[in-house]
Amino acid sequence: MASTTINLTLCLSLLLFTQIYADQTAKTYIIRVDSSSKPSVFPTHYHWYTAEFTEPAAILHVYDTVFHGFSAVLTHFQASSVLKHPSVLTAFEDRRRQLHTTRSPQFIGLRNQRGLWSESDYGSDVIIGIFDTGIWPERRSFSDLNLGPVPKRWRGTCEAGVRFNLRNCNRKIVGARFFDKGHQAASGFGGFVGGINETVEFRSPRDADGHGTHTASTAAGRYAFKASMEGYAAGIAKGVAPKARLAVYKVCWKDAGCFDSDILAAFDAAVNDGVDVISISIGGGEGISSPYYLDPIAIGAYGAVSRGIFVSSSAGNEGPNGMSVTNLAPWLTTVGAGTIDRDFPADVILSDGRKFSGVSLYSGVPLNGKMHPLIYPGKSGVLSASLCMENSLDPIEVRGKIVICDRGSNPRVAKGLVVKKAGGVGMILANGVSNGEGLVGDAHLIPACAVGSTEGDEIKTYLASNPAATATISFRGTVIGIKPAPVVASFSARGPNGLNPEILKPDLIAPGVNILAAWTDAVGPTGLDSDNRRSEFNILSGTSMSCPHVGGAAALLKSAHPNWSPAAIRSAMMTTASLTDNSGNPMLDESSNKHANPYDFGAGHMNLDLAMDPGLVYDITNVDYVNFLCAIEYGPKTIQVITRTPVNCPMRKPSPGNLNYPSIAALFPSRETGVSSKTFFRMVTNVGEEPNAVYRVKIEPPKGVRVSVKPWKLVFSETVRKLGYYVTVTIDSKNLVLDDSGAVFGALSWMDGKHVVRSPIVVTQIEPL
């Protein structure tokens, strides 16, 4: 009995200790404060925060531009106490996010000495802020040769640190900062290693990863002659806005992600510094999106956009799954990825003479047609072996053979390294069903070729019935003029918008497959520790690559049209986007080889030849965004978390579908039967050279849907630059048949004989929440 009592007491003591320990475990919290509540006795907000909220040592960042508040390391008990303060609007835990990992300027319609490049002087007076892993400043892409002085409005700084000094900034890289306090704080929590590994990283704006150098030069790299990656994609490398200035904000760290508290601090700094455009190839993983008031990218971007700064963000790489798109806030421009007309083909040739097409960026000693035995470790049924995971392959079985590895789990190039260590001579990287036929080139360390799901299955089937089968891999270098292109990349994240399906996301797509751009000298082109090669340029794929294309494009448009708002710039890109490929056919979806739709590509593929002169634009003010937040039933205090200032919602609740967006999404309750209608209001502004323009509407109704527009004609004049119109979408549930994506698609276009201002229309049925 005594023993039982002792055990019970011990258990209760352990439970109590566990609870106390849980309460005392510190985490980083981001605290939003109503700044107008600051008592006048405190000279600064920092003095107020450290007097009433927490100790000075606990505070990581104080935010005072895009966000009012601070981030601090607090226990659960302390955070609960802070939340009770009447001036605190909300608090949320810091989260880790991930990066969404030269011929492309021509492919989006840019031409030397004419059009948008010459009209904007290649973006020379525009400053692009890059939120990423830093920069390798010595690359030719960042030369300031023949650039004019730094724009006078620039207020930023060049922050020195490990292997980065003030001389690393110039008239091209006008500023560089790094943000690591969120990381450092996270390293102490619950065994999580979030601190910076200084054996592989630089505590400075210098890029140890490569991703930031690549995105910066994609947006604004100077002309670099004789550029290539180990001989692939040889030619002249250049960014979309070659003369634009770069401001570097290092918020992501090698192998350690990017913390919300640091991202928010970078937004605060960038807006104060005077950037014109922000490109952020970062987002939540797994296609999961937080509500806007809990999403520091959405909050920081609102603070930037509300001050006239354009923010380009990546859609994510969780495609082709539906509802995988992230960065959904309507003030963000959300960019998916398409292919360009350049490829790096390689072929798998089997012993029966059949040839299977794939891609590769292998640049080592080729196989020269020599046939080698084939093996598929996955036939054993062991998943780790089929994926060629570390230590999963038997050297006795693999030695001297070409190994078939399934795509997934570990990095594609790492699989080749596993094969090499086990004695294999080559690798066939086979897509699974989820990746379909979508392929990206990789700078493999052994002879390797990636093939689509269908080809992979055929090769495995052949091997299963011919155990003595042999194969070889041939590499065909760089091929341009590929048709069809663009094709929506299979990895590009797709709609519908999981937070507010009334706003179509992604907004558009841009080149994001096999993009050549500058690279760090800290790691090889694969990024693997064992890759000792060094390359001035690298070829990468991802919506991370498409995002800076739009950032660079926004710089050009802002330079050519300094008075355009971020919404006007996005509208110009969306309403002039292309829906056809270079064969003149409707754009395809790489994963299915079927026609793509607006859930895949938004308004279409960016076409800057037309975006410079869109005719009409759909503008959006800060008041419009506030009304949208009221429409989705955010309360005034919640909205203040995003907007910084107190708001009052209109007495009559607005409709979220009436935000003046360049696309229209009509949602009908799936339980309703019979005929239903929805009416939307839009306002367009004439930005064309002809003030007396007359536009007439052309309607392409979705299948089984009636669409009417009033008025059907818009007459502009010297005094009438803005005109509104109503769109009524009518369905009869008996006749409405939604396609595989759960929607039907159409469009409306305003035309004056010169301009076509096109908006996609999406019609779907949803279960009411």
Side-chain angles (χ1 to χ4, degrees):
M1 184 69 187
S3 161
T4 306
T5 306
I6 290 167
N7 284 340
L8 189 60
T9 306
L10 187 60
C11 285
L12 286 169
S13 299
L14 279 170
L15 272 171
L16 189 62
F17 174 78
T18 304
Q19 184 59 49
I20 291 168
Y21 178 75
D23 280 347
Q24 295 310 310
T25 302
K27 293 179 179 175
T28 299
Y29 290 86
I30 300 169
I31 317 290
R32 165 66 105 180
V33 181
D34 180 353
S35 65
S36 62
S37 303
K38 180 179 77 69
S40 57
V41 67
F42 297 109
T44 68
H45 283 86
Y46 176 78
H47 287 89
W48 180 33
Y49 300 154
T50 53
E52 288 198 26
F53 296 96
T54 188
E55 297 293 318
I59 289 187
L60 303 178
H61 299 290
V62 171
Y63 310 109
D64 58 14
T65 302
V66 300
F67 184 90
H68 281 305
F70 60 94
S71 51
V73 178
L74 305 171
T75 64
H76 178 72
F77 176 77
Q78 288 168 328
S80 300
S81 174
V82 167
L83 261 177
K84 289 173 187 160
H85 194 288
S87 298
V88 170
L89 296 170
T90 191
F92 42 93
E93 283 185 29
D94 204 4
R95 284 193 312 156
R96 180 159 66 150
R97 294 172 182 262
Q98 302 299 339
L99 293 155
H100 283 154
T101 190
T102 51
R103 179 175 167 75
S104 49
Q106 292 97 306
F107 195 67
I108 55 175
L110 291 170
R111 303 286 180 271
N112 274 336
Q113 308 306 325
R114 64 186 177 89
L116 187 50
W117 258 349
S118 58
E119 293 273 337
S120 65
D121 189 26
Y122 301 81
S124 66
D125 282 335
V126 180
I127 301 163
I128 304 175
I130 304 286
F131 289 23
D132 215 297
T133 63
I135 196 163
W136 198 266
E138 292 82 5
R139 290 300 184 221
R140 289 184 290 158
S141 299
F142 309 123
S143 161
D144 67 353
L145 185 67
N146 298 326
L147 277 185
V150 175
K152 286 190 170 66
R153 67 184 185 284
W154 175 246
R155 301 179 295 275
T157 187
C158 191
E159 203 173 351
V162 177
R163 289 194 58 191
F164 199 96
N165 59 47
L166 302 186
R167 291 190 305 279
N168 289 126
C169 292
N170 56 20
R171 294 190 306 274
K172 179 68 173 177
I173 303 170
V174 297
R177 296 175 181 262
F178 64 100
F179 300 84
D180 64 349
K181 290 177 180 173
H183 262 295
Q184 298 298 1
S187 61
F189 305 158
F192 171 71
V193 182
I196 292 155
N197 180 352
E198 298 198 34
T199 61
V200 298
E201 252 297 1
F202 308 105
R203 194 185 297 278
S204 75
R206 185 168 289 278
D207 182 10
D209 179 273
H211 193 278
T213 300
H214 199 278
T215 54
S217 63
T218 298
R222 300 296 303 275
Y223 281 64
F225 294 88
K226 296 184 179 176
S228 76
M229 196 288 291
E230 306 260 315
Y232 284 97
I236 302 167
K238 54 193 166 299
V240 176
K243 287 190 183 178
R245 317 310 173 108
L246 286 165
V248 175
Y249 298 86
K250 182 173 176 177
V251 294
C252 303
W253 299 81
K254 185 172 170 59
D255 304 327
C258 338
F259 277 84
D260 281 345
S261 55
D262 294 334
I263 293 169
L264 200 50
F267 270 112
D268 227 41
V271 172
N272 277 323
D273 290 347
V275 303
D276 301 298
V277 172
I278 290 171
S279 175
I280 178 165
S281 295
I282 302 167
E286 292 79 54
I288 296 167
S289 295
S290 301
Y292 311 128
Y293 59 88
L294 295 178
D295 180 355
I297 292 179
I299 293 167
Y302 182 89
V305 169
S306 66
R307 287 169 166 82
I309 298 164
F310 181 96
V311 183
S312 176
S313 62
S314 46
N317 298 336
E318 303 297 324
N321 301 324
M323 211 183 281
S324 52
V325 60
T326 62
N327 289 324
L328 300 173
W331 44 88
L332 284 166
T333 299
T334 310
V335 190
T339 63
I340 61 172
D341 62 343
R342 178 180 67 197
D343 208 356
F344 309 104
D347 299 311
V348 175
I349 302 161
L350 299 181
S351 41
D352 66 355
R354 279 188 298 163
K355 189 183 283 188
F356 296 88
S357 297
V359 300
S360 182
L361 293 168
Y362 173 69
S363 59
V365 179
L367 295 177
N368 290 323
K370 185 176 179 186
M371 305 297 281
H372 294 272
L374 261 182
I375 183 170
Y376 175 47
K379 71 177 183 184
S380 65
V382 177
L383 183 63
S384 61
S386 75
L387 294 167
C388 298
M389 304 285 279
E390 194 70 40
N391 300 318
S392 67
L393 302 182
D394 183 345
I396 295 169
E397 291 188 1
V398 166
R399 189 169 293 117
K401 296 177 182 174
I402 291 175
V403 181
I404 303 169
C405 297
D406 289 330
R407 182 171 166 182
S409 295
N410 55 335
R412 298 181 298 271
V413 287
K415 296 175 190 288
L417 202 58
V418 171
V419 170
K420 186 179 183 181
K421 282 181 186 170
V425 296
M427 175 178 72
I428 298 168
L429 181 62
N431 276 4
V433 176
S434 63
N435 296 113
E437 308 311 311
L439 300 175
V440 293
D442 290 304
H444 292 285
L445 291 162
I446 63 167
C449 174
V451 296
S453 175
T454 306
E455 289 88 346
D457 288 346
E458 286 189 41
I459 295 167
K460 290 173 195 171
T461 301
Y462 174 68
L463 177 59
S465 55
N466 299 275
T470 58
T472 191
I473 302 171
S474 71
F475 303 95
R476 292 196 275 137
T478 304
V479 177
I480 58 173
I482 294 290
K483 290 186 177 181
V487 170
V488 180
S490 62
F491 60 76
S492 186
R494 314 300 168 97
N497 178 332
L499 284 183
N500 298 107
E502 302 90 347
I503 304 296
L504 178 65
K505 291 284 183 177
D507 291 309
L508 74 168
I509 63 169
V513 178
N514 295 334
I515 303 301
L516 179 83
W519 191 243
T520 179
D521 216 31
V523 293
T526 62
L528 297 175
D529 294 340
S530 53
D531 186 354
N532 295 318
R533 298 172 296 173
R534 292 295 179 264
S535 178
E536 184 184 6
F537 295 91
N538 199 4
I539 294 169
L540 296 182
S541 299
T543 56
S544 275
M545 284 62 249
S546 51
C547 170
H549 277 87
V550 168
L556 296 178
L557 289 169
K558 199 170 181 82
S559 189
H561 303 285
N563 59 338
W564 280 10
S565 69
I569 291 171
R570 174 177 58 196
S571 174
M573 292 182 193
M574 288 176 67
T575 60
T576 59
S578 174
L579 301 168
T580 54
D581 58 34
N582 55 4
S583 307
N585 296 315
M587 224 179 334
L588 296 175
D589 175 356
E590 186 181 49
S591 66
S592 64
N593 214 32
K594 295 178 181 172
H595 287 170
N597 65 52
Y599 279 167
D600 306 322
F601 56 61
H605 188 275
M606 182 166 67
N607 182 349
L608 287 182
D609 220 11
L610 297 175
M612 177 177 67
D613 179 20
L616 307 176
V617 293
Y618 292 83
D619 213 347
I620 304 178
T621 66
N622 296 343
V623 172
D624 296 327
Y625 286 128
V626 168
N627 285 343
F628 168 79
L629 295 171
C630 294
I632 61 171
E633 299 187 351
Y634 282 11
K637 288 276 190 191
T638 305
I639 296 173
Q640 191 180 343
V641 171
I642 301 163
T643 62
R644 303 179 309 287
T645 50
V647 300
N648 292 309
C649 286
M651 292 292 288
R652 189 174 169 202
K653 186 185 155 197
S655 161
N658 276 342
L659 181 66
N660 201 35
Y661 222 72
S663 53
I664 293 169
L667 318 179
F668 292 92
S670 52
R671 291 176 193 158
E672 283 187 12
T673 56
V675 177
S676 304
S677 289
K678 290 220 163 180
T679 299
F680 303 87
F681 178 73
R682 291 291 187 269
M683 174 84 72
V684 284
T685 305
N686 181 16
V687 294
E689 289 179 9
E690 175 51 64
N692 301 312
V694 177
Y695 282 83
R696 289 173 174 82
V697 75
K698 175 190 173 191
I699 300 169
E700 301 163 67
K703 194 174 179 183
V705 176
R706 284 205 317 275
V707 177
S708 64
V709 175
K710 288 182 180 176
W712 59 271
K713 183 167 75 170
L714 299 176
V715 181
F716 295 93
S717 67
E718 294 274 5
T719 54
V720 180
R721 290 186 57 247
K722 291 177 185 268
L723 286 170
Y725 67 91
Y726 291 91
V727 183
T728 301
V729 179
T730 305
I731 66 163
D732 185 339
S733 60
K734 293 200 298 285
N735 303 331
L736 186 66
V737 180
L738 303 180
D739 70 13
D740 294 345
S741 66
V744 284
F745 305 95
L748 72 82
S749 303
W750 289 101
M751 301 187 295
D752 68 345
K754 178 185 178 186
H755 305 96
V756 178
V757 186
R758 187 181 184 281
S759 292
I761 298 173
V762 180
V763 177
T764 187
Q765 290 181 302
I766 59 166
E767 287 289 333
L769 293 174

